Amino acid sequence: MLTTELPPLSPWGSIRSFDQVGTEGILRVHTDTGTGYFVPRELNARVHEIWRIPTGWYGHSADDRHWAIVAMTFPTLFPDELVEQAHELQQQGDPHCYTIVLAAQLAAATSLPRPSTPEATTKTAPTDSNDPLPERTQLIPVAASASADQQVPETPRPAWVRKSGPIARQVWGDWHETVPPGFVGVVASPDESPEDETWHLVPAQEYESRGTFRFVVDLENHATWAGHP
């Protein structure tokens, strides 16, 4: 774990306590008047220039959403729900810059090196001494066929790219009297129409494997929850 030298002061006053975020040196600091994150210079360089704060201080309060920049830049250091909230805050508060940063992150996540074209070697074909034609050549690929472990890996799907559909807003386990064992009950609605709520039963295992972001309900495959609260 890297140790970050703690600055004596923050933009919010003297530092009363701090927590290490991850293992690369980011600090969450607490003061009498506010909290925020301190990102060391090396890590701060990873923040998109359109959002980067040169001092490395990113506030976290009701009036300061700069913490969301840290969560979006280093999503593996934060809970999934907090990263999701960070995306929503930045998208709503600064949609133009959010689009630019998201496009840059998407490009970085999908820019895998392309496989090189197999080299070819030249091999002289045997000829008959009476053959009036000049010597012929054959182009033989070095690797005629790739084995299974040589196949080009699939491009990873960035965490922030989600399927379209209603998003699960609240979840009930099978402790609820109308949720069958092995299922969860959810109330869901589209981001663009949060008032259009629908209720569904989702296999618990499927819900638990939802990944980084919120669960997207499949209207064709997830049954309607008739006995919802």
Side-chain angles (χ1 to χ4, degrees):
M1 176 181 291
L2 297 179
T3 301
T4 300
E5 183 176 352
L6 186 65
L9 289 174
S10 77
W12 315 284
S14 299
I15 298 173
R16 300 303 182 190
S17 63
F18 67 92
D19 306 308
Q20 191 90 356
V21 180
T23 60
E24 297 186 72
I26 296 177
L27 303 178
R28 175 177 171 84
V29 301
H30 309 269
T31 72
D32 290 337
T33 60
T35 63
Y37 294 91
F38 177 69
V39 182
R41 180 179 301 175
E42 296 78 7
L43 295 180
N44 202 33
R46 300 185 195 175
V47 179
H48 195 284
E49 60 184 358
I50 203 171
W51 277 346
R52 186 185 306 134
I53 298 177
T55 61
W57 289 106
Y58 296 84
H60 190 168
S61 68
D63 301 323
D64 190 345
R65 67 171 186 272
H66 287 137
W67 68 269
I69 296 173
V70 182
M72 278 190 60
T73 306
F74 306 95
T76 59
L77 303 183
F78 295 85
D80 296 343
E81 294 78 6
L82 202 62
V83 176
E84 177 77 6
Q85 183 183 356
H87 275 265
E88 292 178 350
L89 282 175
Q90 292 301 94
Q91 184 178 23
Q92 295 170 7
D94 195 352
H96 175 68
C97 291
Y98 175 83
T99 300
I100 294 174
V101 174
L102 192 67
Q105 291 182 335
L106 180 60
T110 57
S111 59
L112 294 179
R114 295 184 178 181
S116 58
T117 303
E119 297 179 359
T121 58
T122 303
K123 179 179 179 180
T124 303
T127 60
D128 191 301
S129 59
N130 296 323
D131 191 343
L133 296 177
E135 291 185 344
R136 297 182 295 273
T137 60
Q138 290 179 314
L139 294 179
I140 304 176
V142 172
S145 61
S147 61
D149 58 352
Q150 293 175 322
Q151 294 178 355
V152 180
E154 294 183 0
T155 300
R157 180 172 179 264
W160 56 85
V161 178
R162 296 177 293 172
K163 298 181 295 183
S164 60
I167 306 299
R169 307 296 179 180
Q170 296 185 51
V171 183
W172 289 259
D174 55 14
W175 47 263
H176 191 277
E177 59 183 6
T178 64
V179 176
F183 284 80
V184 296
V186 303
V187 56
S189 63
D191 281 331
E192 61 275 13
S193 303
E195 70 280 359
D196 296 334
E197 295 181 340
T198 53
W199 301 76
H200 307 272
L201 292 173
V202 177
Q205 185 175 4
E206 180 181 353
Y207 180 81
E208 292 170 359
S209 62
R210 62 192 180 278
T212 303
F213 282 96
R214 297 171 298 174
F215 186 81
V216 180
V217 170
D218 187 334
L219 296 177
E220 295 183 358
N221 295 319
H222 295 142
T224 300
W225 182 13
H228 64 79

